[in-house]
Structures are given as C-alpha cells and as structure tokens.
Amino acid sequence: MATLKDVAALAGVSVKTVSNVVNGYAFVKPENRRRVEEALSATGYRPNLGARNLRRGRTGFVALVLPELVVPYFAELAGLVLGAAQEHEWNVLIEQTLGTREVERDTLASLGPHMIDGAIVSPEALQARDFGELAPGIPVVMLGEHSVDLPIDHVGIDNVEAARVAVAHLIGLGRTRVAAIGAHPHRGTAAQRLEGYRLALADAGLPVRDELVATALNYHRRDGAEAMARLLGAAEPPDAVFCFNDLLAVGAVRAAAERGVRVPSDLAVVGFDNTEEGAYSLPSLTTVAPDKAAIARAAVDLLRRRVDDPERAPEHVRTPFSLEVRESTRGGA
Amino acid sequence: MATLKDVAALAGVSVKTVSNVVNGYAFVKPENRRRVEEALSATGYRPNLGARNLRRGRTGFVALVLPELVVPYFAELAGLVLGAAQEHEWNVLIEQTLGTREVERDTLASLGPHMIDGAIVSPEALQARDFGELAPGIPVVMLGEHSVDLPIDHVGIDNVEAARVAVAHLIGLGRTRVAAIGAHPHRGTAAQRLEGYRLALADAGLPVRDELVATALNYHRRDGAEAMARLLGAAEPPDAVFCFNDLLAVGAVRAAAERGVRVPSDLAVVGFDNTEEGAYSLPSLTTVAPDKAAIARAAVDLLRRRVDDPERAPEHVRTPFSLEVRESTRGGA
DNA sequence: CATCGTTGATACAACGTTGTAAAGCGGCCG
DNA sequence: CGGCCGCTTTACAACGTTGTATCAACGATG
C-alpha cells in the first residue's frame, strides 16, 4: 500500500509537498503538481485515514445507535441516514442496542472518545439522565423522544399531535370504542402518543377506558397480535384501534383476522411510521407518516453543525408528518 | 481525554508499563499493576483506537456491503452480522450500494486499504471479475451468489436445490401452471433459482413455459405486484407462483387480491427468505427459510480466519435451509 | 542596491500507541 | 565471587499524516 513517502520518492519531491497536493494547497509549482499527480495515480495512493485522523483529531465516522434493524422503521431510517451522511463524507457505524440501556451506554462510552465524530441516537431504554454521564464530550443528536428540558440536539415529530390526529380520524369514522396498543412504562414516545390518544378522545367527549389501552413491552408484530387478542377477548371489544407503530398494527390485523373480525368494517386500524410493509399488507394500513427523509437529513445536519461548533445552543427540530389514509380505515362500519 | 502518558504520570511508571497492563502483559509487578489500574480508572482512560490501529495495522472495523437496508432480508441479516461481529470485537460499517456496481467498487476501494480489516459483501450488480481489481489486499467474504470458480470465501445456501424444493412443493399440491417471479439478467442467485424452478418442473414432467417466467429488475413489493399483474393478465393464468423473495411474494399476493384472485385456493404462493413480514401477512407466506443466523455467523467466522491467515485456501460454506409451509399454500385447490 | 513580500519547498515534530532492544535487578549455580 | 538467567521496566523508534517554522528564490519597491 503506497504512502505519501512512496509517492514523494517517485515524484522527486518532499513528503509535505505531496501532502499539499493531496489537500489542495494552492502554492505548488504546476510542474511539480503534475509530477505528483502522476505519481499519485501511478501508485494508486489512498490516504491512510487512521493516520490522518490521528493527526486531525477527527475520524470521519459517526455512530447510529438504534434498537433493532429488524424493525422496518429503523431499517428505513438507517438507510436514509446512511445516504445523508455520505453527503458529509461521513461513514456510519450502526450499533444495535436491542433495547438494553447498558449497550446504549457502553457503545457510546467505548466508541465515543476516539473513533467517532459524533452519534445519532434513537433511544429506547435510555433515560434522560444517562446522557450526561455517557458521553461527556461527544456530539450527540437524539431522535424521536422529545424531552425539551435536555440540553441536547433533537429531531422528531410532534408525537402528541400526530397521535391526536390519528385517533381523531378514527373517531371521525364514527367509531366510539377506540383502543390503543403500545402503552409502555419507560418510553417517552409511548407516553406522548398515549397523551395524544387521550386528547382526541377528550376533544370528542369520549371517555378514556383503561381496558381499551393495551400495553406492549416490545413493538413487534407478536406484541401487537397478543394485545389485540386481549382486547378482542373483552366483554365489549373495540371498534377501532390506534397502534403505536406499524408492526403492532400488522400483528393486530392478523389477530383480528384469526378471530373472524373484519378490518375495517368491524375494526378500523391505524398504525404509525408509514413503513412500506403497511402499504402492501391486506388491508393496507392507514398510518401516521413521519417524513423520514427529513428526519435523517435534519439529524445529520444538526450533528455536522454541532461538531463544527460544540458551543452552540442545542436545537430541537420538529419534522413534519402526515396521515396516510388507506384501506384499514376506509369504508365499512 | 486521558492518554497513556497521563496515566503513566499519575501512576509513576513509564508509558510502556501502562500499555503492558492495558494489554494484559503478564510480567508486571503486582504493586505496579495495582497502581496503574488505579490510575486507569481514576482518569477514565480509553485507548485511542485510531492510534492503536495505526500501530497494529488492524482497525477493528469490518464493512458490510449490501444493496439496501429497506429490504427486510438484508435488515435481518445485518442485525445478525452485527451481533456475530460483536463477539469478535469488530465494529461494523454498513454500506448501501443501492444496486449500483460503482458504489460496490468505490466503497471497497476507498475503505479497503486502511479503514477496515475486511468486508462481507452481498453483491447485486457486482460481477465476478470486478473482485480482482477492487480490493487487491482486502479480505472479502461473499454472501449469496455461489460462484465456485472464484477464489473467494463464500457463504450461502444451495439456491438451485432450495428453489427446486419450493417448486416441487407447489407441484405436490396438484398445481400444474406454476409461474416464477424474479428472473434477472445479471443476478447469479436469480439464475440459480430459475434453474431450480426448471429442474422441479422437469422432474414432474411439466413443460417450462416462457410466459410463466416473469422478470423482476428489482426485488421489491412493487415489482412483485407488477409481475403478478402481467401473469394474471395472460390467457391462461398460473395456479401457483414461486417468487424469488418474500417481498416479490407480498406484492404478488396483493396484486392477486386486487383482482379477486384468492390465495391459496386460486393461486398458491411461495416466497423466499422467511422474513418476519411474510409470517404475519394475510395469508401468511410459505417460504424458503435460509438459516440467516448461520449465514451471519459463518460469514464473520470465515472473515476472521481469512484475516488471521490471508494465505489459506478460499472456502465455500453451504448453510442449511428449510421450507416453511404456511397459509399461502395450505388447503384450497 | 538593500529590503521586503510573495511563492514554493522542506525539515521537523507531533498525534497515541506498541514492538524491539536493551538495561536494571535479583537470585542461583558453578 | 563471576557469570548467567529470568523477571521487570524503560527508552526509543516507528506507524502515516499534517501544522509550524524555516529557508530559498524571485521580482518588486524604495
């Protein structure tokens, strides 16, 4: 593997001159520049990023810390972050925490100091106060959970409002027993979506019935199916359900189908995340559609700005969302 | 950020002694070891991986190069590779090629030399001959396509046999007009699965009808739906279809449903990859289930062995698969 | 002609780590 | 007591890069 030294020897100049050419320094005699460039391509020189970073103190890597790649929302988001990061010449290191807070912390603690310029974190178990200790100097952008009181850059949609809109849509169909699937003791987003759910019911003058709010400790298809089964087993089953993500909704739809409950006529279903899976499922899912590309772009931009100026005040970017109405809430009653 | 020097100063020993403690060198006086360890935790020392790697010539990173994270199969696989790599203390750099061969080549060419110890590549557009030039010195393990003639480590299932089993299953249901979706001019796996499809038909004495073989240039849900629409528009539509991945199958099922074709009674469907999405779709998908965990583990192990001994003969690991029979081929006729 | 600023090139040190060689310090054997 | 061996520690160099200081050459300016 060719180094600057090799190239310099071949071109008959000093190492630094080659470095200057590589880095676009202006004052290099055309003749020398030409010879260096020739030598560069002759040797197929590639800078040793490790050495460069050691010198510069930057690494060119950012970490993307998220719960699980098998969750389509995160997979889609990861893909978009990869693309956005590429434009900043950043390579992305993906870290799966599988929902355990130890991993979230260890990852940042071990990678943080030297190997990454910053991190984009989609926290699941991580609590607000963890952030202080985990990465004293590491630029971090947080996704999803919106905790305004934290002095950390943050990108996300207005979860309360999004949930409210989703549930209002169900109520607008004439449904009166609207259930929710996805309550969770430790998740900030869950609390916010539940809040939106309550708001929508209150707006419509409907009571919040505890037996219609189903907890889901994970947000996988299985959890949605189990929660739906429980809801349908009740004395007065729901005629609509708002699921806190599309996977829960997919599971709910299946559980309904297995019990002969028809969607949407017997049960209207709304999901969250607008995953492609929901668009193709039978019936296709009405869902809250966050602008994932905007989230990814905003997160990377925010991280770039923080890396360039660590002293700037933390910013909270609110990205848009829309409600995608599909078969799971269309027609029927 | 504390360095070895800081720790050494605090403990009153040389830098190298600290380094020795950190690296588990045996001959350090207990007394010194104790003081060093104290100083280590007092300063919260973290090795600068960049510098370490510069010295060692290893980076602790491996690249996982794959077409797209939004394809559930790749997302699931990526998650498993992440886990397997963790056990080797490797960090994984995920690179999306979006199916363009330039990216596949550029990625390896630019990351290869210095930033990664090796790469696990799931090639899409990449041709066999590209491999020679792209990464002269980089240890590479290839996934999926099985080209025995290449001197490169490789992990995958027997695609021909897997496809044969899948189609034989359809024929076993009494179906006689079995279609295939997923033919592709440049994909090795597509060719192999098509071969298996032909073998199964031949075994059963059925003719291979060109009009029942649908091309799909991408393997997304949309492509499956479009291909199915074409097949169903034919004079004599199929009564069964083998899709080269689950996404195509999901799209095919939807296209069928939109035309009032019932699955499985009018049309039996088999997919490939055993994604969780297929297990929950309505109807749930019969599918070829490769042992993804085994693939991930084998790929990482193989890469580890190649990195440790670059001279060893390339190996081809064949991982097991099974046929997961579900609703899309159960009952009906 | 002396001085100065600009252009162009270079040597050197430094980033933080680890391998190498060597040296200090015992104790043990002859 | 001299020499040798094993344990323990250290100084030094090196990995490949880039910032700083320096130096040389040159034309322009006073």
Side-chain angles (χ1 to χ4, degrees):
Chain A
M1 198 73 263
T3 71
L4 283 184
K5 208 160 96 178
D6 304 328
V7 179
L10 185 58
V13 297
S14 79
V15 171
K16 190 64 215 282
T17 298
V18 180
S19 168
N20 285 337
V21 171
V22 171
N23 291 290
Y25 182 63
F27 303 121
V28 178
K29 239 195 307 188
E31 160 67 5
N32 276 351
R33 179 180 300 277
R34 197 188 49 71
R35 302 214 344 236
V36 169
E37 275 163 357
E38 231 163 60
L40 280 173
S41 65
T43 54
Y45 171 79
R46 294 273 155 189
N48 181 325
L49 300 182
R52 172 177 288 178
N53 298 333
L54 176 58
R55 206 39 254 244
R56 297 210 233 209
R58 294 240 178 124
T59 71
F61 290 101
V62 294
L64 174 60
V65 182
L66 40 75
E68 283 187 275
L69 275 178
V70 291
V71 174
Y73 173 73
F74 291 118
E76 292 181 21
L77 193 63
L80 292 165
V81 169
L82 252 49
Q86 218 158 30
E87 289 169 20
H88 288 268
E89 302 197 304
W90 261 332
N91 282 108
V92 179
L93 217 56
I94 297 185
E95 214 63 40
Q96 265 189 131
T97 65
L98 304 176
T100 61
R101 85 195 296 171
E102 283 88 20
V103 182
E104 293 185 3
R105 292 181 43 186
D106 290 357
T107 302
L108 285 187
S110 83
L111 282 178
H114 305 294
M115 286 317 284
I116 58 174
D117 294 340
I120 297 173
V121 181
S122 181
E124 183 147 306
L126 208 54
Q127 301 289 333
R129 68 196 129 83
D130 286 334
F131 269 93
E133 37 178 301
L134 61 67
I138 312 169
V140 167
V141 173
M142 222 169 112
L143 296 184
E145 190 180 355
H146 183 80
S147 314
V148 191
D149 52 330
L150 268 183
I152 290 189
D153 289 306
H154 171 268
V155 179
I157 68 171
D158 183 340
N159 272 293
V160 178
E161 176 62 9
R164 199 195 57 74
V165 167
V167 175
H169 168 68
L170 288 171
I171 295 171
L173 301 174
R175 312 289 168 135
T176 55
R177 298 187 54 80
V178 181
I181 296 180
H184 192 285
H186 303 310
R187 276 186 217 187
T189 48
Q192 290 163 14
R193 290 176 193 177
L194 199 54
E195 173 66 12
Y197 165 78
R198 292 210 182 92
L199 279 179
L201 291 183
D203 285 352
L206 291 172
V208 176
R209 297 182 219 253
D210 284 346
E211 75 272 18
L212 288 183
V213 175
T215 298
L217 291 181
N218 284 296
Y219 278 20
H220 290 178
R221 300 172 185 86
R222 171 196 304 271
D223 306 294
E226 288 171 358
M228 194 71 238
R230 270 180 274 137
L231 290 172
L232 290 176
E236 289 183 277
D239 57 9
V241 60
F242 168 48
C243 302
F244 289 8
N245 82 356
D246 276 2
L247 286 191
L248 291 172
V250 164
V253 167
R254 166 151 275 273
E258 285 173 357
R259 282 158 189 75
V261 174
R262 286 163 306 163
V263 176
S265 47
D266 301 334
L267 180 77
V269 178
V270 173
F272 206 112
D273 287 346
N274 191 28
T275 57
E276 228 190 306
E277 173 175 357
Y280 275 82
S281 71
L282 287 174
S284 58
L285 275 182
T286 293
T287 187
V288 174
D291 187 339
K292 281 169 256 180
I295 294 175
R297 231 180 303 113
V300 174
D301 287 353
L302 220 46
L303 191 57
R304 158 63 58 197
R305 276 182 282 157
R306 168 135 323 274
V307 167
D308 289 345
D309 172 16
E311 303 306 328
R312 64 193 286 281
E315 205 172 314
H316 293 268
V317 174
R318 199 160 264 191
T319 50
F321 69 89
S322 60
L323 184 73
E324 203 69 36
V325 178
R326 303 212 186 89
E327 296 163 358
S328 70
T329 63
R330 224 160 20 208
Chain B
M1 199 72 265
T3 70
L4 282 184
K5 209 160 94 179
D6 305 328
V7 179
L10 184 59
V13 298
S14 80
V15 171
K16 190 64 218 279
T17 298
V18 180
S19 168
N20 284 338
V21 171
V22 170
N23 291 290
Y25 182 65
F27 303 120
V28 177
K29 237 196 310 189
E31 160 67 6
N32 277 350
R33 179 180 300 276
R34 197 187 51 72
R35 298 204 1 226
V36 169
E37 274 163 356
E38 231 162 60
L40 280 172
S41 65
T43 54
Y45 170 79
R46 294 272 155 191
N48 181 324
L49 300 181
R52 171 178 287 178
N53 298 333
L54 175 59
R55 204 41 254 246
R56 297 211 243 220
R58 294 243 177 117
T59 70
F61 289 102
V62 295
L64 174 60
V65 182
L66 39 77
E68 283 186 276
L69 273 178
V70 290
V71 174
Y73 173 73
F74 291 119
E76 292 182 20
L77 193 62
L80 292 165
V81 169
L82 251 50
Q86 219 159 31
E87 290 170 19
H88 289 268
E89 301 196 306
W90 262 331
N91 281 109
V92 179
L93 219 55
I94 296 185
E95 214 61 41
Q96 266 189 131
T97 64
L98 303 176
T100 61
R101 84 195 297 170
E102 283 89 19
V103 183
E104 293 186 1
R105 291 181 41 187
D106 291 358
T107 301
L108 285 187
S110 83
L111 281 179
H114 305 295
M115 287 316 286
I116 57 174
D117 295 338
I120 296 172
V121 181
S122 181
E124 183 147 305
L126 208 56
Q127 301 290 333
R129 68 194 128 82
D130 285 333
F131 270 95
E133 39 179 296
L134 61 70
I138 311 170
V140 168
V141 173
M142 223 169 113
L143 296 184
E145 190 179 356
H146 183 81
S147 314
V148 190
D149 52 331
L150 269 180
I152 289 189
D153 289 306
H154 170 269
V155 180
I157 68 171
D158 183 340
N159 272 293
V160 177
E161 176 62 9
R164 198 195 58 72
V165 168
V167 175
H169 168 67
L170 288 170
I171 295 171
L173 301 174
R175 312 291 168 133
T176 55
R177 298 188 53 80
V178 181
I181 296 180
H184 193 285
H186 303 309
R187 276 187 217 187
T189 47
Q192 290 162 13
R193 291 176 194 178
L194 199 54
E195 172 66 12
Y197 165 78
R198 292 207 182 93
L199 278 180
L201 292 183
D203 285 351
L206 292 171
V208 176
R209 300 182 217 254
D210 283 346
E211 75 271 17
L212 287 183
V213 175
T215 297
L217 291 181
N218 284 296
Y219 278 21
H220 290 177
R221 300 174 186 83
R222 170 195 304 271
D223 305 293
E226 288 171 0
M228 194 72 238
R230 271 180 273 136
L231 289 172
L232 291 176
E236 288 183 277
D239 56 10
V241 61
F242 169 48
C243 302
F244 288 9
N245 80 358
D246 276 1
L247 286 191
L248 291 173
V250 163
V253 167
R254 167 151 273 274
E258 285 172 358
R259 281 159 190 75
V261 175
R262 286 163 306 163
V263 176
S265 47
D266 300 335
L267 180 77
V269 178
V270 173
F272 206 113
D273 286 347
N274 189 29
T275 58
E276 227 189 307
E277 174 174 357
Y280 276 82
S281 71
L282 289 173
S284 58
L285 276 182
T286 294
T287 187
V288 173
D291 186 339
K292 281 169 257 182
I295 294 176
R297 229 179 306 113
V300 174
D301 287 352
L302 220 45
L303 191 58
R304 157 63 58 197
R305 275 182 283 158
R306 169 136 322 275
V307 167
D308 290 345
D309 173 14
E311 304 306 328
R312 62 193 285 284
E315 205 172 314
H316 293 269
V317 175
R318 197 160 267 189
T319 50
F321 70 90
S322 60
L323 185 73
E324 203 69 35
V325 178
R326 303 209 186 92
E327 295 163 358
S328 71
T329 63
R330 233 173 355 218

